Amino acid sequence: MPQNQLSEFQVTVSGLARAAARDERLATDYARLAAYMAQDGRPSAVELFEGLSRHHAIRALEERGQLEATVHAQHDPAN
């Protein structure tokens, strides 16, 4: 396997892992904001932050799936 392919693979995996971690953090942060807004009695803000939390949680799952598929494809003997 040429060195540049390994390097490209590492860059791809690293980028996907960072993106997933970022979206996981955002999902957590927005969920915390929603809980805070619920205590403060702001239902419209709660809906907004809960929606943002779900959006980023879904993106994180998609990115984790892409990461798994990328790693699997790299280690698949058929490739």
Side-chain angles (χ1 to χ4, degrees):
M1 174 182 302
Q3 183 61 31
N4 63 349
Q5 283 184 331
L6 181 60
S7 191
E8 183 180 328
F9 170 73
Q10 289 173 331
V11 168
T12 299
V13 167
S14 176
L16 287 169
R18 277 192 317 256
R22 177 187 164 272
D23 279 311
E24 288 165 350
R25 279 191 309 274
L26 285 170
T28 299
D29 290 347
Y30 285 131
R32 286 180 181 150
L33 281 169
Y36 174 77
M37 293 296 168
Q39 290 176 349
D40 204 28
R42 298 182 184 175
S44 60
V46 171
E47 289 178 29
L48 169 68
F49 288 119
E50 285 177 343
L52 286 168
S53 178
R54 281 190 301 274
H55 168 77
H56 285 285
I58 291 167
R59 284 192 52 168
L61 288 172
E62 290 170 347
E63 289 155 349
R64 292 286 177 199
Q66 289 174 342
L67 177 61
E68 279 293 318
T70 301
V71 170
H72 178 73
Q74 179 71 19
H75 297 327
D76 187 357
N79 287 335

